[in-house]
Amino acid sequence: MGNPWKKSSEDFPPGPRPLPVVGNLHIMDLKKPYQTMLELSKQYGPVFKIQLGAQKIVVLTGYETIKEALVNKADVFAERARVPIFEEFSRGFGVAFSHGENWRVMRRFMLTTLRDYGMGKRSMESRIAEECSFLVKKFNSYKGKPFEFRGIVTTAVANIIVSVLLGKRYDYEDPRFIKLLSLATENARLLGSPSVQLCNMFPMLGFLFGAHKKALMNRRELNAFVTENFIQCLNNLDENDTRNFIDSYLVQQRQERKIQNNGYFNHKNLEESVTNLFIAGVETVSTTLFWALTLMMKYPLIQKKVQDEIINVVGYAQLRAEHRTKMPYTDAVVHEVQRYADVVPLNLPHETTVDVNFKGYFIPKGIQVIPLLTSVLHDESQWERPHDFYPEHFLNTEGKFVKREAFMPFSAGRRVCPGETLAKTEIFMFFTSLLQRFTFQPAPGLSKEDLDMTRAVGFTTPPKTYMLCAVPCF
C-alpha cells in the first residue's frame, strides 16, 4: 500500500514526534484524550497529526476549521473511520459505524422512517408529553426527599426511542428494561475508558483487556434483546399497517427481496440500525438531562428565571414544542446546557474519502480524522465566556433568542446525528415539564458550592452523580 504520507513531509500537518511502537501514546491523557488534543492544538494549530500505536490521526479543532471540513468539504470527510472496537461491534452494518453505500442506504431509510413515525411532528410531541407526565408522577412520588434520578430519567428517555422502534413503552420498574439500559450506559463508559482505547491502538492485545471483553459481552446481550423483539414484530407483521420502525424495515426487506436477492435490507443491518438508534437515542439525551438538572441545582437563580418564564407563558398547562419560541430565556438555557455539557467531546471519528489539500496541508485518503467537537463548543473566538455556564450566549441585548453558528453538539455535515430533531424536542420538553412542576435542590448536607462540575470518563461525559430533591412548586 505504500506510505500514505508519501508527499514531502512539509505538506502534511505538524504534530508531536512519535516514539517507536507507541507513537504519541506517552503524552496522551487516556481518561480525557480530548483535553490533550486541545493542548496540542495550542502548540500546533487547528490542524495537526498525532500517532497512537501505528495509527496516524489528523485532529481538527475550532469552529472555522471543523465547519470547513464537515460542511464545506462534506464529501471529502464523510467516511467513518475503521476503529477496531466499533468494527467488532457493527461488522460494517447499521448507520453509525458503517461505510460507503451501506451507510447511504441505511441512513436514508432511517431518516425517512423516523419522519414517518413523527420526528418533528405533533404525534411525536404527544408521545413525549405523555412520557413527561409519567416522569413527573414518578418524581412526585419521592415527596421532596432525596433520590437517585438518573435511572428514572434514562428510562423515560429510552421509552421515546422504544416507542418508535417497537411501538410500546416500558414501566420504570421493568427489571429487563433496567438491565438493558444499564448495559448501554456501561458501554458508553467502557468505550471511553483507557483500556478500550489501548485496545483500539493495539488490537492484537485485545485479549489482555477485561473492559474490551465486557463491552463485547454487553453488546451481544443488547443485540439479543433486539433480535428477540424483532421476531415478535416479524410474527405480527401486517404490510398494510406498519406500526413501528422494525415493521417498516421488514416491509422494505420483503419488497427488496422481490427485486434482488442480496440487498441491504438484511437481518444484520436491522439489528445494528436498531441498536444504533437505541443507544444514540438514549445516551446523549439522558446525559444532557443529567447536566441540565445538576446545573439547575448549581445555579438556583437561573432555575428560578426559567420557572418564572414557563409559568408566565403556559402556567401549569401541557407544554408543547411550539412554546419554545415564546420562551427565549428557557430556550437559551437549554442550548447553553448542551453547549456547556458537551456530551460527546471527541465526536465520532471520520475518515477521508480522497486525498485532499486542506488548510495548506496534504491529508491522504483513508486517514482517520477527529473533528474535535469540544473545541467548537468552547471556541474562544466564538463564545464570550466559553468555559462558564452562561445562557446569555444565546440571547441578544433585548433578551431575544439568538442562533449561534458554532452550536453543533450533534456534529455537522453528512454524518450529523440523524435523530437531532427528535433529541432537541425531547430535551426541551423533558426539561421544561420538570421545571414547571419542581424546584431542584441538592440533598441535605450538600450546598450548591459542593457540586463539582468535573465530567466523568467515558465516550459520553456525564456530570458526577448527586442525589437530588425535587421539591414540588405547588
Side-chain angles (χ1 to χ4, degrees), residues 88-289:
E88 275 185 90
F89 272 7
S90 68
R91 309 171 306 285
F93 295 107
V95 175
F97 304 110
S98 65
H99 314 282
E101 194 54 28
N102 190 84
W103 166 68
R104 273 185 284 279
V105 172
M106 285 300 116
R107 183 182 169 86
R108 198 163 44 236
F109 173 78
M110 187 179 277
L111 282 168
T112 310
T113 311
L114 284 174
R115 278 195 287 268
D116 289 348
Y117 288 105
M119 185 164 79
K121 293 186 195 154
R122 229 18 224 230
S123 57
M124 178 55 79
E125 246 184 76
S126 303
R127 238 178 245 181
I128 299 169
E130 184 192 19
E131 196 58 51
C132 288
S133 63
F134 285 117
L135 186 61
V136 165
K137 203 169 148 193
K138 184 70 181 166
F139 272 37
N140 234 336
S141 71
Y142 292 96
K143 300 189 169 29
K145 295 201 166 54
F147 66 101
E148 205 294 293
F149 67 99
R150 292 193 180 197
I152 304 161
V153 168
T154 305
T155 316
V157 169
N159 267 332
I160 303 302
I161 196 68
V162 166
S163 73
V164 175
L165 295 172
L166 298 170
K168 65 191 274 189
R169 75 175 289 276
Y170 287 88
D171 188 74
Y172 294 167
E173 271 79 43
D174 186 304
R176 198 145 161 263
F177 198 50
I178 291 169
K179 170 81 170 117
L180 188 71
L181 292 169
S182 73
L183 294 175
T185 305
E186 185 177 28
N187 266 13
R189 297 294 78 76
L190 290 172
L191 289 179
S193 68
S195 64
V196 167
Q197 292 180 66
L198 283 168
C199 190
N200 284 330
M201 294 171 216
F202 308 103
M204 306 294 286
L205 304 178
F207 64 92
L208 293 175
F209 299 111
H212 172 250
K213 278 195 211 113
K214 186 82 183 96
L216 286 169
M217 246 170 61
N218 288 351
R219 184 58 179 235
R220 275 197 288 276
E221 243 183 282
L222 272 168
N223 285 355
F225 178 87
V226 168
T227 302
E228 195 179 310
N229 285 281
F230 147 78
I231 290 162
Q232 283 176 6
C233 290
L234 191 55
N235 295 339
N236 309 327
L237 183 65
D238 172 357
E239 291 202 20
N240 302 315
D241 177 26
T242 52
R243 296 147 307 169
N244 54 50
F245 182 91
I246 295 182
D247 278 0
S248 298
Y249 188 98
L250 296 172
V251 169
Q252 187 72 35
Q253 187 178 54
R254 285 185 182 178
Q255 288 168 353
E256 191 187 65
R257 278 197 182 137
K258 289 173 193 161
I259 310 161
Q260 62 192 104
N261 235 346
N262 316 335
Y264 290 103
F265 287 85
N266 51 47
H267 174 59
K268 293 271 197 303
N269 260 328
L270 173 61
E271 183 180 85
E272 199 53 37
S273 298
V274 169
T275 308
N276 288 167
L277 271 173
F278 180 72
I279 290 175
V282 174
E283 195 50 44
T284 51
V285 174
S286 57
T287 304
T288 304
L289 289 169

Side-chain angles (χ1 to χ4, degrees), residues 336 339-340 377-390 393:
E336 181 65 357
R339 184 201 70 80
Y340 179 86
L377 296 173
H378 298 99
D379 187 327
E380 291 176 2
S381 71
Q382 298 294 317
W383 307 98
E384 298 83 285
R385 290 167 53 179
H387 307 294
D388 297 338
F389 181 66
Y390 185 62
H393 281 139

Side-chain angles (χ1 to χ4, degrees), residues 203-431:
M204 306 294 286
L205 304 178
F207 64 92
L208 293 175
F209 299 111
H212 172 250
K213 278 195 211 113
K214 186 82 183 96
L216 286 169
M217 246 170 61
N218 288 351
R219 184 58 179 235
R220 275 197 288 276
E221 243 183 282
L222 272 168
N223 285 355
F225 178 87
V226 168
T227 302
E228 195 179 310
N229 285 281
F230 147 78
I231 290 162
Q232 283 176 6
C233 290
L234 191 55
N235 295 339
N236 309 327
L237 183 65
D238 172 357
E239 291 202 20
N240 302 315
D241 177 26
T242 52
R243 296 147 307 169
N244 54 50
F245 182 91
I246 295 182
D247 278 0
S248 298
Y249 188 98
L250 296 172
V251 169
Q252 187 72 35
Q253 187 178 54
R254 285 185 182 178
Q255 288 168 353
E256 191 187 65
R257 278 197 182 137
K258 289 173 193 161
I259 310 161
Q260 62 192 104
N261 235 346
N262 316 335
Y264 290 103
F265 287 85
N266 51 47
H267 174 59
K268 293 271 197 303
N269 260 328
L270 173 61
E271 183 180 85
E272 199 53 37
S273 298
V274 169
T275 308
N276 288 167
L277 271 173
F278 180 72
I279 290 175
V282 174
E283 195 50 44
T284 51
V285 174
S286 57
T287 304
T288 304
L289 289 169
F290 301 161
W291 276 104
L293 298 183
T294 308
L295 285 161
M296 292 306 97
M297 293 195 281
K298 180 91 173 159
Y299 297 102
L301 296 176
I302 293 176
Q303 175 171 219
K304 177 82 175 78
K305 246 176 121 169
V306 169
Q307 288 170 318
D308 291 346
E309 186 175 65
I310 293 172
I311 299 312
N312 285 337
V313 174
V314 288
Y316 294 103
Q318 176 64 66
L319 276 145
R320 287 272 170 199
E322 73 218 26
H323 290 131
R324 187 195 282 261
T325 52
K326 302 187 181 88
M327 301 193 221
Y329 186 75
T330 304
D331 202 8
V333 169
V334 169
H335 278 74
E336 181 65 357
V337 166
Q338 288 183 267
R339 184 201 70 80
Y340 179 86
D342 173 24
V343 300
V344 190
L346 268 182
N347 205 338
L348 285 173
H350 287 237
E351 188 178 286
T352 43
T353 55
V354 289
D355 288 355
V356 60
N357 284 307
F358 181 75
K359 297 275 188 193
Y361 299 113
F362 170 72
I363 303 175
K365 175 185 174 176
I367 282 293
Q368 185 173 328
V369 175
I370 294 180
L372 198 63
L373 272 191
T374 190
S375 70
V376 179
L377 296 173
H378 298 99
D379 187 327
E380 291 176 2
S381 71
Q382 298 294 317
W383 307 98
E384 298 83 285
R385 290 167 53 179
H387 307 294
D388 297 338
F389 181 66
Y390 185 62
E392 286 73 11
H393 281 139
F394 294 93
L395 295 167
N396 66 14
T397 45
E398 286 96 62
K400 290 199 166 60
F401 180 79
V402 193
K403 277 193 163 132
R404 298 291 293 260
E405 289 291 311
F407 178 74
M408 46 169 84
F410 299 97
S411 194
R414 297 270 186 274
R415 292 266 179 180
V416 68
C417 167
E420 178 177 358
T421 315
L422 177 58
K424 282 180 171 166
T425 309
E426 281 185 69
I427 292 165
F428 178 77
M429 287 181 69
F430 277 122
F431 178 70

Side-chain angles (χ1 to χ4, degrees), residues 139 142 144-152 290 293-298 439-448 450-452 463-471:
F139 272 37
Y142 292 96
K145 295 201 166 54
F147 66 101
E148 205 294 293
F149 67 99
R150 292 193 180 197
I152 304 161
F290 301 161
L293 298 183
T294 308
L295 285 161
M296 292 306 97
M297 293 195 281
K298 180 91 173 159
T439 297
F440 293 101
Q441 296 167 356
L446 268 185
S447 71
K448 59 180 186 170
D450 296 329
L451 299 175
D452 176 359
K464 291 197 166 169
T465 307
Y466 293 102
M467 299 284 269
L468 140 161
C469 299
V471 181

Side-chain angles (χ1 to χ4, degrees), residues 18-25 50-56 201-202:
L19 297 177
V21 185
V22 295
N24 300 123
L25 183 58
I50 53 173
Q51 190 169 325
L52 299 177
Q55 176 88 50
K56 292 186 170 69
M201 294 171 216
F202 308 103

